[in-house]
Amino acid sequence: MAGLLKRLVPKRFRNDGLVIPVVRLHGAIMSGGSRFKQQLNLATVAPALEKAFSKKESPAVVLSINSPGGSPVQSRMIFDRIRALAEEKNKRVLVFVEDVAASGGYMIALAGDEIFADATSIVGSIGVVSGGFGFPELLKKIGVERRVYTAGENKVILDPFQPEKESDIDYLKSLQLEIHEIFIDMVKSRRGSALADDPDLFSGLFWTGRRGLQLGLVDSLGDMREEIKKRYGRDAKLELVSGSRDFFGRKLPGVGASGAGMEQMAAAAVSGLADTLEEKALWSRYGL
């Protein structure tokens, strides 16, 4: 009864303490996703971000990041959405790194006005990587003839069933260098004079949170709960914000999702397995 009466009292007359919304940005960053596995991308995190930044009484939004990276496009789109909402709603963004904020995960972390990490967190990996497999002899061994017809001499560039070509590799590396330059510019713009003069800073290496602090990649080492109470008072509370849910409490799918028959579900299951393997490879780079 006391709880019910308390909820009936307008917020401005309650002594509840300040509520700071928290959005968890966890997982590998990939476009798409399915009912079998939801990926970290703009479509899946946008509803939670909108909800968190819409809380008028909160002076800040906390982001909890635990990501080994992934798609640079989705990483940058999430970064842009966070900064746009922060400026529109005039709120400070505090980022707390859990196990890892590397590559695209660190790109998202740059959206924070301040970045906090544990001494043993992994941060950095400011670089670009592409990977795949080559099967130029496989079809011949199993007696299959592959037929490809194109208009445009470069439509089968980097085809895994053909021998590697130096010209293909050079072209891919030119794209990687361009994306790397964009990433470096973002780091310099957001971290500014805090960055150390270290030749390895943009080499793709990654470091512990303690070393990241020395390099200027993070602002402080600390715990989310204690930092929020120190900053906003002992009565301040953290409130986890999630995306929209259906009547049964399940997360609604992201943009572009729809109902599926058995064939679509089977295809999604196969795709989900491939995504899982790719995600495991991303995490394993950092020993996780």
Side-chain angles (χ1 to χ4, degrees):
M1 179 61 73
L4 176 61
L5 292 174
K6 187 176 182 179
R7 287 195 294 273
L8 294 174
V9 177
K11 283 188 176 181
R12 64 180 180 275
F13 297 122
R14 298 183 203 165
N15 187 25
D16 287 344
L18 199 60
V19 175
I20 306 296
V22 180
V23 178
R24 299 177 79 239
L25 304 177
H26 289 200
I29 305 162
M30 302 178 185
S31 59
S34 69
R35 67 182 63 193
F36 298 97
K37 187 170 184 62
Q38 192 172 53
Q39 306 295 358
L40 175 56
N41 53 52
L42 181 61
T44 57
V45 304
L49 291 173
E50 296 282 352
K51 190 184 297 186
F53 279 97
S54 68
K55 295 184 179 295
K56 296 180 180 180
E57 300 84 3
S58 303
V61 170
V62 167
L63 303 178
S64 168
I65 295 182
N66 195 9
S67 174
S71 165
V73 176
Q74 292 296 325
S75 303
R76 188 169 165 81
M77 289 171 68
I78 295 171
F79 167 91
D80 286 340
R81 180 63 57 88
I82 293 167
R83 289 315 311 161
L85 287 168
E87 292 171 17
E88 177 188 338
K89 305 296 185 180
N90 192 30
K91 293 188 186 296
R92 195 159 184 79
V93 179
L94 305 177
V95 167
F96 288 84
V97 179
E98 291 195 9
D99 297 275
V100 58
S103 194
Y106 185 72
M107 184 183 285
I108 295 175
L110 291 171
D113 295 298
E114 295 177 71
I115 303 175
F116 300 83
D118 185 81
T120 58
S121 297
I122 298 296
V123 297
S125 190
I126 301 166
V128 181
V129 62
S130 298
F133 299 93
F135 312 99
E137 301 297 324
L138 177 62
L139 298 185
K140 187 186 300 183
K141 287 182 178 179
I142 62 176
V144 175
E145 180 184 7
R146 185 163 182 261
R147 298 169 181 173
V148 180
Y149 310 98
T150 69
E153 60 185 14
N154 292 312
K155 285 300 292 183
V156 289
I157 189 172
L158 298 170
D159 187 331
F161 292 100
Q162 294 184 8
E164 274 192 317
K165 299 176 183 177
E166 286 297 326
S167 58
D168 290 2
I169 298 171
D170 291 342
Y171 183 72
L172 176 61
K173 286 185 175 179
S174 72
L175 298 182
Q176 291 177 323
L177 287 172
E178 187 174 349
I179 297 171
H180 193 198
E181 288 173 3
I182 293 170
F183 196 174
I184 291 171
D185 288 343
M186 290 175 68
V187 176
K188 289 181 176 179
S189 173
R190 293 297 298 167
R191 300 302 301 167
S193 60
L195 293 173
D197 183 13
D198 191 298
D200 291 329
L201 197 57
F202 304 122
S203 70
L205 284 178
F206 47 91
W207 299 272
T208 64
R210 183 170 62 181
R211 178 62 177 146
L213 177 62
Q214 296 169 351
L215 292 171
L217 296 176
V218 304
D219 295 288
S220 185
L221 303 179
D223 172 76
M224 181 193 298
R225 182 176 178 276
E226 288 306 310
E227 181 63 33
I228 292 302
K229 289 186 177 297
K230 179 173 68 176
R231 186 169 298 218
Y232 298 111
R234 301 307 298 179
D235 291 332
K237 297 179 179 64
L238 293 165
E239 180 183 86
L240 184 63
V241 177
S242 60
S244 302
R245 294 178 180 271
D246 65 14
F247 180 78
F248 298 102
R250 298 173 300 197
K251 286 186 178 180
L252 293 174
V255 175
S258 62
M262 290 300 294
E263 290 183 3
Q264 290 93 334
M265 288 179 66
V270 173
S271 175
L273 176 59
D275 288 345
T276 298
L277 293 174
E278 184 178 351
E279 184 172 354
K280 283 184 177 295
L282 284 168
W283 284 108
S284 67
R285 290 189 64 222
Y286 309 103
L288 299 168

